[in-house]
Amino acid sequence: MIVTRFAPSPNGSLHLGHAFSAIVAHDLARERGGRFLLRIEDIDGARSRPELAEEFRANLAWLGLEWQEVAPQSARLPGYGTAADRLRNEGLLYPCTCTRAEIAAAAKTIGPEGPVYPGTCKGRAVDTSEPAAWRLDVAEALARTGPLSWTDERAGVQQADPARLGDVVLVRKDRETPASYHLAATLDDAADGVTLVTRGRDLFAATHIHRLLQALLSLPVPTWHHHPLLLDREGRKLAKRRNSPSLADRRRAGEDGLTLAADLRAGRFPAGISLGE
């Protein structure tokens, strides 16, 4: 039996890209006699809007999906802290006070997630009485784990290369958002028994870091399924920050959710929407 999931963040309304991702995960579980989970990733500080979680459930039901809901991230904070403490005590995390502007100015390379952190705070004394992020020392971590690999159902076996993302943040400077996506999602998938991590192709590179964290924290290693993304007329992925039309607006306007889901499954997309590679 496989276990897969859809894990939206309530910092904006869901759009067609989310619908497509949820349907892919739901259908993979259904086709293989497995379980499809819903997990609300609600630790995005002030941007999280608790009322949106109920909207998400209404949207999924409107699309004809069935799921089992697991604990939201806001109920998992002690576990994130314990994992971070373990890595910190093992000398694998270091504090960083650099701003985004400082990182952008000092970065020598651009990685999958933007400017790659150049290690400015690594090895120097940092006053942790002030707000500081905690970064993973990727080189030291790899020295301890040795070579790693992971498997994507669509792309095959991958040799883990977390260094391409640099020393990523695992504990954020913002006290309202204690764990980064990398740490929280990795721990959550292990806690929920996820065996197939289904998510968009835009998160493919992040998996290199997640595989490293699994090795460091002795977590089970799932298989991944990174599906193509829905793109707008300019070839950009649909995104909340671009005000892509919401599922809730479509639902309230009387559109048939079952028909929409069938169209997405069949590759029939609204005008101006296409499926990427």
Side-chain angles (χ1 to χ4, degrees):
M1 181 193 298
I2 71 160
V3 179
T4 191
R5 86 299 194 267
F6 176 58
S9 298
N11 54 18
S13 294
L14 301 185
H15 50 64
L16 283 178
H18 295 108
F20 183 77
S21 188
I23 289 168
V24 169
H26 172 272
D27 289 1
L28 286 170
R30 183 178 60 182
E31 290 162 5
R32 304 178 195 182
R35 298 167 60 214
F36 171 58
L37 310 180
L38 171 65
R39 181 175 71 232
I40 304 298
E41 299 194 338
D42 59 348
I43 58 168
D44 197 9
R47 297 178 61 206
S48 283
R49 296 160 53 194
E51 70 276 9
L52 286 179
E54 189 56 40
E55 179 183 288
F56 293 175
R57 299 182 189 100
N59 290 335
L60 296 182
W62 173 68
L63 292 168
L65 307 186
E66 297 179 352
W67 66 90
Q68 294 174 294
E69 188 159 353
V70 294
Q73 287 187 332
S74 56
R76 305 174 188 242
L77 300 185
Y80 304 151
T82 297
D85 286 343
R86 173 178 169 179
L87 295 174
R88 191 181 290 112
N89 292 337
E90 292 177 0
L92 291 170
L93 299 186
Y94 62 89
C96 171
T97 57
C98 296
T99 65
R100 290 184 180 180
E102 289 170 339
I103 295 170
K108 296 180 175 60
T109 58
I110 302 297
E113 296 184 342
V116 175
Y117 181 69
T120 307
C121 290
K122 190 173 182 177
R124 78 175 187 183
V126 173
D127 181 5
T128 55
S129 66
E130 298 295 327
W134 287 82
R135 292 183 177 273
L136 176 65
D137 186 336
V138 171
E140 177 61 25
L142 284 171
R144 299 189 192 185
T145 65
L148 300 168
S149 64
W150 54 278
T151 301
D152 179 85
E153 287 193 331
R154 302 181 72 250
V157 177
Q158 306 291 311
Q159 297 306 308
D161 184 17
R164 63 190 300 202
L165 283 81
D167 289 354
V168 297
V169 169
L170 294 189
V171 180
R172 293 175 56 171
K173 188 183 302 185
D174 178 5
R175 298 184 189 280
E176 292 184 348
T177 311
S180 74
Y181 169 75
H182 296 301
L183 181 62
T186 302
L187 291 170
D188 294 345
D189 286 336
D192 294 336
V194 172
T195 63
L196 181 65
V197 178
T198 306
R199 58 192 182 197
R201 186 67 175 75
D202 55 327
L203 291 169
F204 193 94
T207 307
H208 294 286
I209 290 290
H210 299 183
R211 179 66 188 91
L212 178 59
L213 290 174
Q214 288 158 357
L216 294 173
L217 295 169
S218 303
L219 301 176
V221 181
T223 300
W224 283 262
H225 184 109
H226 291 95
H227 60 74
L229 303 175
L230 293 190
L231 307 177
D232 64 16
R233 294 181 187 276
E234 286 72 43
R236 304 172 302 179
K237 72 172 184 176
L238 302 186
K240 294 174 183 176
R241 66 180 180 276
R242 299 192 185 102
N243 296 316
S244 296
S246 75
L247 296 181
D249 287 344
R250 292 174 176 271
R251 174 169 52 84
R252 295 183 187 113
E255 185 172 347
D256 189 311
L258 298 182
T259 298
L260 175 61
D263 286 343
L264 292 175
R265 288 185 174 101
R268 296 187 294 267
F269 307 119
I273 303 297
S274 62
L275 187 64
E277 295 297 327

